[in-house]
């Protein structure tokens, strides 16, 4: 609600301005979550990951904080557009943990950035040119920890409605253990 409200108040006239406003809206959301956590005892320490898309003219702007991900399915291939803000991702990037070790890493869920846990937050923001037929997947780590990229791609390219494909991804993650919140949202790109 905070992101949408901020965007509706500000709008944008250029992609640079849209990216700035999207980042600012995430900072405002950060403040809102932190305030709520400080006001309600049961919510102390609360934080959240976030990923979002904003269509601006012929571009798709993407932003995220945490380890929720955005993928692009284009021409039967899958591309991860976000990089996890997590201890594991940092250790992999620095070469301290290999892919095989990553599967057994005990601290997979330690995230290094989240909405509401610090006074300020830095979101990663980027954009790409839209193509007809693009399909975007916004998802939580409850999905990606349990379902491989290859299996995600096979469900994204299946012949079914968007809703059916999203539900199927959640079902597959639940069948694989479903030990975390599982979110899968699909956004199809169509020409205007």
């Amino acid at each position: 609600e905070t992101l949408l409200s901020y965007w509706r108040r500000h709008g944008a006239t250029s992609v640079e301005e849209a990216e700035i406003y999207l980042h600012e809206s995430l900072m405002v959301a950060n403040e809102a979550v932190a305030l709520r956590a400080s006001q309600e005892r049961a919510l102390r320490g609360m934080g959240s990951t976030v990923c979002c898309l904003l269509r601006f003219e012929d571009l798709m702007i993407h932003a995220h904080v945490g380890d929720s991900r955005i993928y692009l399915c284009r021409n039967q291939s899958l591309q991860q557009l976000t990089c996890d803000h997590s201890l594991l991702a940092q250790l992999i990037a620095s070469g301290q943990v290999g892919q095989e070790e990553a599967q057994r890493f005990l601290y997979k869920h330690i995230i290094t950035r989240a909405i509401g846990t610090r006074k300020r937050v830095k979101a990663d923001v980027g954009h790409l040119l839209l193509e007809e037929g693009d399909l975007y997947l916004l998802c939580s780590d409850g999905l990606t920890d349990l379902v491989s990229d290859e299996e995600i791609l096979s469900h994204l390219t299946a012949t079914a409605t968007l809703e059916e494909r999203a539900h199927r991804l959640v079902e597959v993650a639940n069948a694989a253990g479903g030990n975390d919140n599982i979110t899968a949202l699909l956004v199809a790109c169509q020409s205007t």
Side-chain angles (χ1 to χ4, degrees):
E1 291 173 358
T2 301
L3 297 175
L4 189 55
S5 173
Y6 189 90
W7 180 257
R8 285 184 174 153
R9 281 195 318 269
H10 293 87
T13 58
S14 69
V15 68
E16 294 81 13
E17 195 173 59
E19 288 182 349
I20 289 167
Y21 287 156
L22 186 56
H23 188 269
E24 287 176 357
S25 71
L26 288 167
M27 290 189 292
V28 171
N30 181 67
E31 292 168 6
V33 171
L35 178 63
R36 180 102 186 262
S38 72
Q39 293 174 336
E40 294 184 41
R41 182 181 200 96
L43 301 179
R44 294 252 159 82
M46 171 179 72
S48 180
T49 64
V50 63
C51 59
C52 54
L53 295 173
L54 172 67
R55 183 172 181 165
F56 184 82
E57 297 175 355
D58 61 346
L59 300 172
M60 187 65 83
I61 302 171
H62 54 89
H64 86 290
V65 176
D67 60 355
S68 291
R69 294 180 180 175
I70 303 173
Y71 288 89
L72 168 62
C73 181
R74 178 183 281 171
N75 300 324
Q76 304 290 316
S77 75
L78 190 66
Q79 175 188 359
Q80 184 177 332
L81 299 179
T82 56
C83 295
D84 293 351
H85 300 140
S86 68
L87 175 62
L88 178 58
Q90 287 180 347
L91 293 173
I92 291 171
S94 69
Q96 295 177 44
V97 172
Q99 289 301 327
E100 191 173 303
E101 294 170 290
Q103 299 302 317
R104 299 183 309 273
F105 190 70
L106 293 178
Y107 304 105
K108 281 184 182 182
H109 297 289
I110 294 178
I111 57 176
T112 56
R113 289 191 225 170
I115 295 289
T117 59
R118 292 199 169 99
K119 190 171 185 170
R120 297 191 54 80
V121 68
K122 181 184 181 309
D124 288 346
V125 180
H127 68 268
L128 62 153
L129 194 62
L130 292 167
E131 288 187 18
E132 182 76 25
D134 283 353
L135 180 61
Y136 294 86
L137 167 64
L138 293 84
C139 60
S140 64
D141 64 328
L143 175 70
T144 56
D145 283 351
L146 298 171
V147 183
S148 70
D149 285 1
E150 294 78 19
E151 193 166 5
I152 289 172
L153 179 61
S154 73
H155 291 289
L156 292 182
T157 57
T159 305
T161 67
L162 290 179
E163 185 177 354
E164 290 167 341
R165 286 181 265 177
H167 282 293
R168 184 66 188 134
L169 287 169
V170 172
E171 289 171 357
V172 169
N174 274 320
N179 54 357
D180 198 353
N181 296 324
I182 304 165
T183 302
L185 174 69
L186 296 177
V187 178
C189 177
Q190 299 171 346
S191 60
T192 55

